[in-house]
Structure formats: C-alpha cells, structure tokens
Amino acid sequence: MSAEDLSVESSGAQGSGVENSGVENVSIETLDLGWLTLTPSTLVFIVLGLTLAAFIWGRFRYDLVALTALLGSVMLGLVPAGSAFAGFGHPAVITVAAVLVLSRGFERSGVVDIIANQVLKVGENLLLQLLVLVGTIVLLSGIMNNVGALALLLPVAMRLAREHNTSPSLLLMPLAFGSLLGGLTTLIGTPPNIIISSYRREVTDEAFSMFSFSPVGIAVALAGLAFIVLVGWRLTPKRSGQASTDEMFDTANYLVELKVGEESKAKGLTLQQLRDELDETIPVLAVVRDDNRRAGYNFHGALEEGDILLLEAGPDELQMLEDKVGLSAIAELEEELEDEPGEDAQAKDTEHSASDKEADKAKKKDAAQDQQRVDTEGLQLIEAVVRNDSMMINRSVRQLRLNHQFGLHLVAVARDGGRLKQRLRDIRFKNGDVLLLQGSENEISDSLASLGCLPLASRELHLGQPRKLAMSVAIFALAITAMLFDLLPAAVAMSSAALISLLIGVLPLREGYQAIDGPVIVLLAAMIPVGEALETSGGADLIANVLLSFGSDWPVVVTMIGLFLLSMLLSNVVNNAAAALLMAPIAVSLANGFDVSLDPFLMVVAVSASCAFLTPIGHQSNTLVLGPGGYRFGDYWKLGLPLSSVVLVVAIPLILLVWPL
C-alpha cells in the first residue's frame, strides 16, 4: 500500500475553515500579513508550539498557559468566540470535577483510612511493604482520583519508612507510579480515560463504558506492579537520612534557648512586636516562664525578665538576636557539666569516685535529652509537602501572612532532600517543598488544606462515622450501576452521586468546593477547544499524514507504537489530560487513514497519556514525592524508562487482542 493510498482525506476543515470569531481582519482560511500568509493549520501549530514551550518552561502555571492558548486561538479565529468557553460545560470536565468531590468524600467518611490502617501492619520486609503499598494504591486509583489516592497513602508510606528505618526514597517513587498505573483500570481512574471516552462519543455517538478500559488497564497495572516490586525499586536512589524529621531538617542543631535579660530590649514586647523589631520571620516555638511552657502561637502577652524563648535559628540569626534585642543564648547542659567551678568539682571528687561522677553526668545528660525530646514533641510540629496547585508557590511567608492568616509558624524548609539554609523570609516556595510547621493541633489540618499542602507522617488516621462510610460506598455503587447499564451518562451519574453526598452530609459543602482542583478544571476546559481547533484546521490530518507516510511500508502496529511513544513523551512534559486532548484527534485521523477501527488507536492514547514516568513534572503524583523522597530531576527516568517499556510491551498486544483493527 502506497503513501498516497494511506493519505488522510480532508474533512473539509481546511477548505471551509472555522466559524468566524468576529476578530477584525482575520480570515478563517488564512491569516494574511502581507509578506506572509499563514494557514489555519500553521497557526494551530504555532499556538501549540508556544503552549508546549510554556508548559516545559514552567514559569507560569499550566492553567494560565492553557487559558492563554485558548484566548490566543480565539483572537486568531481558530476557535469561534461564541464557543470559546464551552469547554467548561464539557462532559469530561464535569465528570472530572464530580470524581474529585467523590474522592474527598471517601477520605472524609473513613473508607480509605480503614485500608491505610491495615497497611501500617505490614511489617519490616521491604518487598512486602512495596507490594502492599503499591498494590493498595493501584486499587484505590481505579475508583478515585489518583492524586487523591496518593495524598492519602503518602503519610502511611512515610510512617512505615520511619517506623522500620527504611529510606522513603525506596517507597515513594514506586507509590507515585502505582497511582498512575491504577488510573488505567477504569473510566474514572484518570482524566485521560474520561477525555478519550467523551471524544469517542463525539465521533461515534457512543462513549466507552466504566470498565471498557479494564481488560487492558488491569493487565498493564499488574505487570507494572510486578516489575516495581521485584525489580524496579532497585533502580530508585537510596537517599539516606531522609526518614526522620530531625535528620531531614537538622532540627536538633537549630533549636536554641534564648533568655530575656534585665537590659534586654525584648523585655516588654509581645512576640509580634519582637518580629517587627527584628524585621525577620524567625518563629518562636515556645516561651518558658516559671517552669510553665506555652507554645509560641498561643502566647499573646509581653515578655518579662527571665523568660526563656525556644526558637529555631542558625548562627547568623543568633547574632542578630543578640545585637538587635539583647537575647542571649543559654549555655548547654553538657558544657556546664564539663566546665564546673573548681570548688564544686573538688567537692564532688571527695564524695564520689571517678566512675560515680561519670554515672551522675550520664544520668543528667539522659534526663536533659529526655526532656528535650518531650519538649520537641510538645511543639506540635508537622511536616507538609507543597502541592502543584498550592497558593504558596512563588510566594514568601510575608506575602502569605502565614502566621496571621493561617496561624502557622514556619520552622524550616527542605528542598531536594536537604534543609534550605537561607533566611525563612527570603524563601519563595516551590511545588514539592517539604515544610516543617508549627500550629494549633485543632486548626492545622484546615490551614494546610487552605494552603494546598499535604501533611506527611504526622497525619493521624481516623475511622470516620460508620453511617457515612456505608452511605458513601452505597452512593458510589449506585452511580457505577447506572453507568454500567447505560441508565445515565458518566457525567450525569457522577455528578448525581457527588450532589447526593453533599446533600446527606457525607462531605460538607465547603470541602466539596475545595476538593475541585481549579487549575485542572481550567486546563481541561481551555484545552478542549484548542484540541478541537487542531482537528478542524486540518492540523491533525497533517500530522497523521506524516506518520502514515513513514509507516506506509510497515504493519499498522508499528504506527501504533509510534503514536504510543509520541503521546507518552508529550505526557511527560505537559499535563496528561492535555496530552490526551491533543493526541485524540491525531489518533482518529490515523485510524481513518488506515481505514481501521478507531478504538485501538484511542486506547493507545488513553494508556500512553498516563505513562508520565520519566520526569517529576509530568504528573502531580511525581511532583508530590519529589521533596519527601529527596529525589532529583534525573532520578525519575531510571525507574520510569524501563517501566514505560514494560507498559508498551504489555499494552500494544492486549489492545489489539481486545480491540481488534
């Protein structure tokens, strides 16, 4: 068969163009600049090229980039102005939003915590830990948002690592990749599946069902699970010293006690006035007065002579505290023991033998260390990781008003597995940063949720209310049943389930709105019209023709492999949903060019768009484990590349078996 025979027939998009958007002097068929004439397909490629470059650059958040691409397409006449925002009502967008609400309902009702509580009993065997952790997240990701599943099991993995002295880097990357594999198994497991199903409905008037993805998805997920547990974890870096809070942040070396002296300028100041005087965000963790210790966030009076401030500071900060407000460090107990006055030392020499003195000294040191541990535990310190959609990204402590607005004190920040040494007020947060925070035990969870942070190992499991747990499962089961028997479309069934969950109190309305990931919704809604422009302008046909010309002398399966690799690479530099939106029209054009069924090509895109295993920026799950695992950018491909190969080898034959050409 020749390349000419395989050429994709034009659907008329290039001839008729896109409906006029009302932009002055812009032709629907071409853009005439006098010295240069640009066709609609060329304009689409320019817009998409700039969009992909912005995604890779990462300077601006992906939802803003997508919205810019949409508005730019409208200005160029590629997207009709009247339908520019139709994506916000697209079934795929509605379904994704509903699944996010249901996922939060599962968490709130305690469904997932029951599972997580059992995972903690797995024991010390690393292979068993990996099998249970990754296997559990594969199951959970099939019925809920994969980022939500990871958020629930991330604290469990951190706690396992600390209880059994295991490096978290051996657990967290497999856990993140497992969340992506689990999403392949059902329609609602991951946004690309929902997008591909909706796109199939637009083309053939029939969407994929809830479990259409399961035959291929389950096999691929099991193959990936086996590879990770038996071989893959050995390809992850072992970052030592990351399992402990004290080791990650080197907290013990930075917790110091400063005393308010008679001549100290700090005397008579409140803690807020002290911060204003210092022009610095050094957090006071506790104030000790008359042997009574109060947490810094709960101390509102004025400092008095003799007060002791427990705070986290380095050498530069200590010098500044001494110079500006006259706070002096208290000598450490060990130094006092080693440098006692001569008369006391001689008296002790006459009363005790050398061994007795050493025993007394050891007891005093042990008592002091025990007291220090108790005090540290009482500070209500918690670790949290900054999510991709966090309001903290690119902002500082002052801009966030972390203390006043959220009641949190920033103690330390770790990035790439190590504690940042710069001043806290100068740090601009990045996604994946691990924060050591202090706050009120009753309010810290709400504050972290508002900021867009996930608590790590300090998060306590709770079992929820049995009634709400049962109702949550029942509502979800009814929605799945309605979808299976084609009683309701996926968007309607999932939205109804989410609405009922809110009405009966499984999830408070405020948390329901918080559960909807705004940036992802905007990304989907903005990229859907841009993806349609790729098709209507003829751009998808042009790309398909290039692939067809290269594959004219090869079996169809070779072109399918090329489509898989192209979609997989795209998903590693942009959001997986965006990859699915852009590749779906190309897949349909290829199928039409070969005159074969659309389904295997669409399934190739669905699977490959979720294979973002090569970089930490390809998927939110990868980014969330970057900081806690102490990973570097180049660590991901070492496990991700062979895992992608396993998925490719397993998926292509199964797709052809289940969805023949």
Side-chain angles (χ1 to χ4, degrees), residues 12 28 42 72 129 220 308 321 326 343 347 351 403 459 481 600:
I28 303 306
T42 303
Q129 290 177 6
V220 169
I308 296 174
L321 288 164
E343 292 183 2
E351 295 176 4
N403 184 26
R459 178 182 181 273
T481 302

Side-chain angles (χ1 to χ4, degrees), residues 63 71-72 87 162 174 176 224 227 314 348 467 487 498 500 516:
D63 53 332
L71 296 178
R162 292 177 180 177
F227 174 78
K348 289 191 176 186
R467 176 181 169 274
L487 301 178
I500 295 172
I516 298 176

Side-chain angles (χ1 to χ4, degrees), residues 171-187:
L171 300 177
L172 298 189
M173 190 183 294
L175 190 68
F177 289 174
S179 73
L180 303 186
L181 292 171
L184 298 172
T185 58
T186 65
L187 169 67

Side-chain angles (χ1 to χ4, degrees), residues 133-361:
L133 276 173
V134 182
T136 300
I137 203 167
V138 165
L139 290 174
L140 291 178
S141 296
I143 60 172
M144 63 185 296
N145 174 260
N146 42 24
V147 176
L150 178 65
L152 291 165
L153 286 181
L154 187 57
V156 179
M158 292 295 291
R159 193 176 306 176
L160 269 178
R162 292 177 180 177
E163 288 182 359
H164 301 294
N165 198 27
T166 304
S167 172
S169 62
L170 298 179
L171 300 177
L172 298 189
M173 190 183 294
L175 190 68
F177 289 174
S179 73
L180 303 186
L181 292 171
L184 298 172
T185 58
T186 65
L187 169 67
I188 63 173
T190 185
N193 289 2
I194 298 172
I195 291 166
I196 293 299
S197 177
S198 297
Y199 192 81
R200 186 177 188 261
R201 178 185 289 276
E202 294 175 4
V203 176
T204 66
D205 294 328
E206 185 178 354
F208 286 123
S209 67
M210 175 69 179
F211 296 107
S212 295
F213 301 88
S214 299
V216 175
I218 291 176
V220 169
L222 290 177
L225 172 63
F227 174 78
I228 289 172
V229 173
L230 297 178
V231 180
W233 67 272
R234 304 174 192 275
L235 304 176
T236 60
K238 184 176 182 181
R239 305 281 187 233
S240 60
Q242 300 301 323
S244 164
T245 303
D246 287 345
E247 289 171 342
M248 175 179 285
F249 293 107
D250 202 16
T251 306
N253 293 333
Y254 288 85
L255 283 177
V256 296
E257 292 182 349
L258 299 178
K259 189 172 183 179
V260 179
E262 181 180 359
E263 303 296 331
S264 175
K265 189 177 179 180
K267 188 172 65 172
L269 299 179
T270 64
L271 293 184
Q272 182 54 48
Q273 290 171 335
L274 180 64
R275 295 186 190 97
D276 294 339
E277 185 71 26
L278 293 171
D279 193 29
E280 178 57 81
T281 55
I282 296 175
V284 177
L285 303 180
V287 178
V288 180
R289 178 181 295 170
D290 299 329
D291 295 328
N292 294 320
R293 184 174 55 81
R294 295 180 62 183
Y297 62 82
N298 201 29
F299 184 86
H300 303 295
L303 295 173
E304 299 178 1
E305 181 182 350
D307 286 350
I308 296 174
L309 278 61
L310 181 63
L311 49 80
E312 192 269 2
D316 293 339
E317 289 83 2
L318 286 176
Q319 186 62 49
M320 178 187 63
L321 288 164
E322 173 74 27
D323 295 340
K324 286 191 174 183
V325 292
L327 291 175
S328 56
I330 299 176
E332 296 182 2
L333 175 62
E334 183 176 349
E335 293 176 350
E336 292 178 352
L337 289 171
E338 290 177 353
D339 300 320
E340 295 182 52
E343 292 183 2
D344 291 341
Q346 292 175 4
K348 289 191 176 186
D349 285 340
T350 59
E351 295 176 4
H352 302 286
S353 64
S355 60
D356 289 337
K357 288 195 300 179
E358 291 299 324
D360 289 343
K361 186 183 295 186

Side-chain angles (χ1 to χ4, degrees), residues 423-656:
R423 285 189 170 186
L424 296 178
R425 69 174 184 180
D426 297 331
I427 295 175
R428 290 186 176 270
F429 301 107
K430 295 183 178 180
N431 52 354
D433 282 354
V434 181
L435 315 179
L436 187 62
L437 298 162
Q438 182 197 25
S440 170
E441 187 174 0
N442 297 327
E443 300 175 0
I444 197 166
S445 296
D446 291 338
S447 297
L448 290 178
S450 299
L451 287 167
C453 294
L454 292 179
L456 293 180
S458 298
R459 178 182 181 273
E460 293 297 330
L461 298 176
H462 58 278
L463 297 183
Q465 300 179 16
R467 176 181 169 274
K468 290 185 177 181
L469 190 154
M471 291 297 295
S472 179
V473 174
I475 293 167
F476 182 73
L478 286 174
I480 297 301
T481 302
M483 293 166 59
L484 282 176
F485 290 96
D486 291 327
L487 301 178
L488 294 172
V492 177
M494 290 291 110
S495 298
S496 299
L499 176 61
I500 295 172
S501 297
L502 294 171
L503 288 175
I504 66 174
V506 170
L507 186 68
L509 184 60
R510 180 175 61 86
E511 288 195 31
Y513 279 108
Q514 289 178 347
I516 298 176
D517 192 343
V520 170
I521 298 301
V522 172
L523 169 75
L524 289 174
M527 290 303 295
I528 284 173
V530 177
E532 291 174 352
L534 177 65
E535 181 179 10
T536 57
S537 68
D541 288 348
L542 289 176
I543 296 175
N545 278 328
V546 172
L547 294 175
L548 287 168
S549 64
F550 281 110
S552 59
D553 298 326
W554 299 90
V556 178
V557 65
V558 175
T559 303
M560 292 178 66
I561 293 174
L563 179 67
F564 187 102
L565 294 174
L566 181 60
S567 180
M568 181 187 69
L569 290 174
L570 188 61
S571 72
N572 277 279
V573 295
V574 302
N575 183 279
N576 60 353
L581 285 167
L582 295 176
M583 296 303 298
I586 298 173
V588 171
S589 295
L590 281 172
N592 290 335
F594 280 113
D595 194 22
V596 296
S597 171
L598 303 176
D599 292 340
F601 283 86
L602 288 176
M603 279 291 170
V604 164
V605 173
V607 174
S608 57
S610 294
C611 291
F613 303 128
L614 302 180
T615 68
I617 63 173
H619 195 275
Q620 289 190 51
S621 293
N622 296 355
T623 309
L624 285 175
V625 300
L626 179 65
Y631 301 121
R632 302 184 182 94
F633 194 98
D635 290 335
Y636 283 77
W637 70 269
K638 297 174 184 176
L639 171 59
L641 186 59
L643 180 59
S644 299
S645 302
V646 169
V647 172
L648 173 63
V649 170
V650 174
I652 295 295
L654 279 175
I655 289 173
L656 292 174

